[in-house]
Amino acid sequence: MGTYLYAITAAGHPLRLSGISGVGEPAAQLRTVRTKDLCAVVSDAPPQLRAKRRDVAAHQDVQDRLLADGAALPMRFGLIGTDDAQVATVLEQDRDSYLQRLEEVDGCREYHLKVARDEDDLLREIMRESAEVRRLNDRTRENPGAYDDKVALGELISQEVEARHERARSDIVARLAGTAVRTADVEPTKRHFLSVSFLVEREKAAAFSEAVHEEAGQRGDTYDFSLHGPLPPYSFV
């Protein structure tokens, strides 16, 4: 059957888990696996677990309850150990690492920011600012059969797009990092050139959200900022 893992806490965490249950149908009963310094909140792993809405919500409900009372390291949905004994062994083996992570995330939440830019606006900017792009564009318009010029134009535009995205990524993260404890890059999507998570102290959450709002306002309507949070600090565990 296996042991399903929700989160890891310090041994002194209050672990107020009454009234909530775990994943599966019927919902699994929560229990703890303890060592001297750490505690893992677990349940029996249901057979053929899938990321159904009910199970994902139950997984996060456990983590939200734990995080409301203290530091917790949230595990990704679907993490299953062989049994409770294996979980206890891992807690002992990686004790120092887990304790360090618990100290880092204590009192913090994760905020995930994604940013996209209107492609037409970006291409107009490149055309306006790059004399070489304008030259190649004029040549391909005058001579539609100029294959080499078309290839060179496409490669140059691609390089310009990536360079401008990289500058924007660096600028945005640098301006927002001052209100965060740490940042963690997330693989950008096809649409978003920036996807990054910020670890933010609870008392600085309002200041961080305001900083994101101000940055979005300064960049204008051609940029699309999407901020999600507060979330369990998955990216920093």
Side-chain angles (χ1 to χ4, degrees):
M1 180 177 292
T3 297
Y4 186 95
L5 185 61
Y6 299 85
I8 296 171
T9 73
H13 193 287
L15 297 171
R16 295 187 307 110
L17 296 172
S18 61
I20 59 174
S21 54
V23 299
E25 185 62 43
Q29 183 175 357
L30 300 175
R31 63 178 183 273
T32 58
V33 176
R34 293 177 177 271
T35 63
K36 178 182 177 181
D37 299 301
L38 295 165
C39 177
V41 177
V42 305
S43 71
D44 288 341
Q48 299 179 339
L49 178 68
R50 294 182 176 86
K52 298 178 181 178
R53 181 179 300 177
R54 187 263 166 209
D55 288 330
V56 172
H59 179 86
Q60 187 159 341
D61 285 347
V62 175
Q63 296 174 343
D64 288 341
R65 175 69 66 85
L66 293 169
L67 287 164
D69 291 332
L73 304 181
M75 300 293 106
R76 297 285 184 182
F77 179 86
L79 182 61
I80 298 174
T82 303
D83 51 31
D84 288 11
Q86 184 201 31
V87 173
T89 298
V90 172
L91 292 181
E92 286 287 3
Q93 287 177 344
D94 295 332
R95 169 191 172 277
D96 293 343
S97 176
Y98 287 135
L99 290 174
Q100 180 182 351
R101 286 286 185 269
L102 283 165
E103 184 176 355
E104 289 176 352
V105 304
D106 190 15
C108 298
R109 290 294 185 274
E110 178 174 335
Y111 290 81
H112 184 206
L113 176 65
K114 294 189 289 187
V115 182
R117 183 177 179 183
D118 181 80
E119 291 183 3
D120 291 338
D121 179 71
L122 178 56
L123 291 175
R124 285 193 294 269
E125 179 186 283
I126 292 171
M127 185 70 70
R128 183 172 61 250
E129 296 181 359
S130 173
E132 182 62 11
V133 168
R134 291 196 302 272
R135 184 186 72 81
L136 287 170
N137 184 63
D138 290 342
R139 289 187 61 175
T140 57
R141 291 178 64 183
E142 294 168 359
N143 184 7
Y147 176 78
D148 290 343
D149 287 338
K150 288 182 179 180
V151 171
L153 176 61
E155 291 177 347
L156 182 57
I157 289 176
S158 178
Q159 293 168 7
E160 287 284 344
V161 167
E162 181 54 37
R164 289 162 196 267
H165 280 169
E166 181 56 39
R167 285 199 297 271
R169 275 195 291 266
S170 298
D171 289 346
I172 292 170
V173 172
R175 292 191 181 103
L176 299 177
T179 51
V181 176
R182 287 175 58 197
T183 63
D185 289 333
V186 181
E187 187 68 24
T189 67
K190 184 176 181 180
R191 178 170 179 263
H192 300 92
F193 70 85
L194 182 149
S195 184
V196 62
S197 287
F198 296 83
L199 187 65
V200 180
E201 296 174 350
R202 286 180 181 176
E203 58 268 27
K204 294 183 179 180
F208 176 77
S209 296
E210 181 61 26
V212 172
H213 180 76
E214 290 179 358
E215 182 68 20
Q218 291 174 4
R219 291 187 176 267
D221 294 339
T222 60
Y223 284 80
D224 179 21
F225 280 63
S226 178
L227 182 65
H228 301 275
L231 303 168
Y234 292 112
S235 300
F236 302 93
V237 174

